[in-house]
Amino acid sequence: MTPNGTSPADALDLLIVGAGFGGLCMLHKARAMGLSALVLEAAPSVGGTWYANRYPGARVDVQSLEYSFSFSEGLQQEWQWTERYASQPELLRYANHVADRFDLRSGIRLNTCVTAACFDDDDQRWEVRGTREEGAPQTWRARFVVLASGPLSTPNTPAFPGLETFAGPVLHTAAWPHAPVDFGGRYVGVIGTGSSAVQVIPRIAQQAASVTVFQRTAAYVVPAHNGPLDPTQEARVKADYPGFRARNRQMRTGFGCDVPMNPNSALAASPEERDAAFEARWRVGGFCLLWAFGDLMTDLQANALVAEFVRGKIRQTVHDPATAALLSPHQPIGCKRMCVADDYYETFNRPNVHLVDVSEQPIEAITPSGLRTGGREHAFDTLVLATGFDAVTGTLMRLDLRGRGGLRIQDKWRNGPLNYLGLTVAGFPNLFNIAGAGSTSAFTSVILSIEHHVDWIADCIAWLDAQGHATIEATDEAESAWVAHVNAVAAHTVFLSCNSWYLGANIPGKPRMFMPLAGGFPAYAERCMAVASGGYEGFSLR
């Protein structure tokens, strides 16, 4: 070991890409196993998405007590969340606390951008190349590479004609300036109405002289009812945190055990029973609305009932009927990620907020003083792009990643992200992907999925070492069967009934393939365990 706590490059067991929650957790686990590990992070801080996404109003949509690490009882007990849904600054403080509490910083190289990773067939190791902040190239070699770059880490900036001509500042929610942005007296245009937009628009509207929102697809937004964390609830959870976590792991989503799914059919309930169930969960807030009945995400008729319930809430909230109609989505609820936020619909009652529908008449061009759509010019002096991410695959597809025989990930994934268990890719030995395509991470509390993946990877490496195996690699047959399984599960849900980032539909030219696994966390975890217990069925060992 070197004095700073890392191993010489050629002796690394694990090289981990990304110092968000996934990278921090993997580094902590590797050290506990006595493995030499190093994390490479392009940003100047740990925190991953919670370092980059610092727009006003940014916060998690899973409750703080559930969106947190469970691997340390001491950490669980000592950390005190201030709000029911933690904000970005608090989440970033939490990430830094974890890095400090477990002395992880000595194993993290910040301001280091990974540019290439290639598997050496002869040496059975990965060679990883990158550059430090000063531009100096560097090379590392490791037995295993763990990609912890996250499913939502590459911002999507659509190729709007004329974007480079806009005279004012252009701000992207996923790459927000570090210095506070003063919107006082500004005329702001916001493109997008997804998860980031519904959080940032109310905050901008409180300051700006005018906000014009350009909407292509209306979003279903349910209230968070955020506020200070109830100390009684915190004490109750902390009194039995292990039991609370265990109950959540039995939920399809990995969270929400306090308001579990009602297994009954919405179609079998009376109108009064349905409305009462929907209303009760609306008062609770968050994703539990979609669990009011067991068939809301699998039956379009049942789904239509809860969708109309939300549209009714929109009509009750938004004063102008024409604006309410534009804000009312037509796609099934939940086929795009449902948004959890407060004060979004109320914001459109403000006289300084305007809504422009660009679904029928797309944005034609960005101009020096605004944008043009439908032949009409809209003027503003600040442009906010709330246009989301090239999700799940975007970061990897921009990396020079080469597996056995020089196989490029761009060629392997030309028609979509082939994978096995959402953890591995055939042709790429000793490469693991945390919270990637083919896993349930998009539909869970992602930290739960991170910990599950980290534990599985660690157990796999320990088993390989105990058995004397040098490499593990998914077989083509297992990979094909897994991708077929992911698609078969999705076919029994409402997820395929609209375009979404789950399908890559927000990125022009991206292959249309349903990327996450919609089968629920317990079944997925059981399958992963069965594969390991069976001697890593579906893998080739060398």
Side-chain angles (χ1 to χ4, degrees):
M1 300 289 283
T2 59
N4 66 4
T6 62
S7 297
D10 283 341
L12 281 174
D13 292 311
L14 272 77
L15 190 138
I16 303 161
V17 181
F21 287 136
L24 295 176
C25 188
M26 189 74 250
L27 177 59
H28 177 260
K29 186 72 172 184
R31 286 183 166 182
M33 297 171 64
L35 300 175
S36 57
L38 181 67
V39 177
L40 304 181
E41 168 57 56
S45 169
V46 302
T49 190
W50 298 115
Y51 174 79
N53 288 260
R54 53 182 64 230
Y55 58 86
R59 68 179 64 251
V60 71
D61 56 8
V62 174
Q63 292 191 58
S64 308
L65 289 167
E66 296 166 302
Y67 191 84
S68 53
F69 285 122
S70 67
F71 64 74
S72 165
E73 179 65 9
L75 175 64
Q76 293 188 133
Q77 294 295 331
E78 73 194 19
W79 184 265
Q80 291 187 299
W81 297 102
T82 64
E83 294 181 276
R84 184 184 183 195
Y85 292 89
S87 65
Q88 177 271 332
E90 188 165 24
L91 289 160
L92 186 57
R93 287 196 299 272
Y94 180 69
N96 277 279
H97 174 75
V98 170
D100 291 331
R101 190 191 190 284
F102 298 101
D103 191 27
L104 301 179
R105 294 189 188 277
S106 60
I108 302 171
R109 298 290 174 269
L110 301 174
N111 298 304
T112 303
C113 181
V114 173
T115 57
C118 180
F119 186 74
D120 186 327
D121 291 304
D122 295 328
D123 195 33
Q124 303 291 291
R125 286 181 178 270
W126 282 91
E127 180 176 286
V128 179
R129 296 189 298 277
T131 55
R132 302 296 301 272
E133 185 177 23
E134 64 275 9
Q138 195 165 349
T139 300
W140 301 266
R141 296 180 72 81
R143 289 199 295 150
F144 299 92
V145 167
V146 177
L147 301 172
S149 49
L152 299 174
S153 55
T154 298
N156 170 39
T157 301
F160 295 119
L163 179 61
E164 71 284 353
T165 70
F166 185 67
V170 178
L171 309 172
H172 198 295
T173 50
W176 201 259
H178 290 199
V181 179
D182 183 7
F183 290 101
R186 306 292 290 180
Y187 289 77
V188 183
V190 180
I191 299 176
T193 52
S195 295
S196 299
V198 304
Q199 293 181 334
V200 77
I201 288 169
R203 296 289 293 274
I204 294 175
Q206 293 170 3
Q207 301 180 39
S210 173
V211 178
T212 303
V213 178
F214 298 91
Q215 172 188 276
R216 183 175 61 181
T217 306
Y220 290 97
V221 185
V222 298
H225 300 310
N226 188 47
L229 183 61
D230 180 357
T232 303
Q233 181 196 14
E234 181 183 22
R236 176 181 59 81
V237 169
K238 287 188 173 182
D240 181 28
Y241 230 142
F244 181 70
R245 300 289 194 184
R247 291 188 294 275
N248 270 335
R249 283 192 289 270
Q250 295 306 308
M251 297 284 292
R252 287 180 61 85
T253 54
F255 66 93
C257 64
D258 284 344
V259 191
M261 179 179 286
N262 170 12
N264 299 323
S265 168
L267 300 175
S270 69
E272 294 77 17
E273 290 171 331
R274 285 197 301 267
D275 287 345
F278 294 154
E279 192 65 48
R281 288 171 184 253
W282 185 266
R283 288 195 297 269
V284 172
F287 289 108
C288 72
L289 177 66
L290 297 179
W291 314 330
F293 293 95
D295 55 357
L296 297 182
M297 295 302 294
T298 57
D299 187 293
L300 286 172
Q301 284 184 284
N303 184 278
L305 296 170
V306 68
E308 180 53 31
F309 172 81
V310 177
R311 286 192 288 266
K313 291 292 186 181
I314 297 170
R315 292 191 292 269
Q316 292 173 19
T317 303
V318 180
H319 300 161
D320 177 55
T323 302
L326 284 179
L327 288 169
S328 296
H330 301 292
Q331 72 274 11
I333 185 171
C335 67
K336 292 176 178 284
R337 186 173 180 89
M338 192 171 70
C339 301
V340 178
D342 292 322
D343 302 322
Y344 177 67
Y345 294 123
E346 291 84 350
T347 296
F348 289 90
N349 293 327
R350 299 177 64 103
N352 66 329
V353 177
H354 318 282
L355 182 64
V356 177
D357 178 25
V358 296
S359 61
E360 298 297 330
Q361 296 178 315
I363 295 170
E364 298 165 12
I366 307 295
T367 68
S369 58
L371 68 76
R372 185 173 64 253
T373 179
R376 179 186 171 189
E377 296 280 348
H378 297 270
F380 43 83
D381 53 40
T382 303
L383 176 59
V384 174
L385 300 177
T387 49
F389 301 88
D390 185 351
V392 183
T393 63
T395 303
L396 271 62
M397 292 292 275
R398 287 164 173 76
L399 178 66
D400 183 8
L401 178 62
R402 299 171 187 257
R404 195 179 294 282
L407 176 64
R408 300 169 66 246
I409 194 66
Q410 291 82 2
D411 296 326
K412 174 74 179 185
W413 283 2
R414 181 179 291 112
N415 297 316
L418 304 177
N419 66 87
Y420 181 42
L421 300 179
L423 279 157
T424 63
V425 180
F428 292 78
N430 289 9
L431 179 77
F432 300 105
N433 191 17
I434 293 177
S439 76
T440 58
S441 58
F443 301 132
T444 68
S445 171
V446 73
I447 295 186
L448 171 81
S449 287
I450 285 169
E451 290 189 312
H452 171 249
H453 279 178
V454 164
D455 287 344
W456 194 94
I457 292 166
D459 289 345
C460 178
I461 292 173
W463 184 85
L464 290 171
D465 288 349
Q467 298 294 319
H469 296 302
T471 66
I472 185 168
E473 177 182 353
T475 66
D476 291 327
E477 295 78 12
E479 183 178 74
S480 296
W482 185 254
V483 173
H485 170 66
V486 170
N487 283 275
V489 171
H492 293 286
T493 71
V494 304
F495 288 116
L496 301 184
S497 58
C498 70
N499 289 324
S500 70
W501 63 257
Y502 300 143
L503 284 157
N506 62 321
I507 306 297
K510 189 169 182 174
R512 296 296 182 265
M513 177 177 171
F514 194 76
M515 295 183 284
L517 175 62
F521 177 77
Y524 172 67
E526 186 175 322
R527 177 65 183 274
C528 290
M529 180 185 297
V531 167
S533 300
Y536 293 88
E537 175 190 2
F539 286 98
S540 174
L541 305 165
R542 303 189 184 187

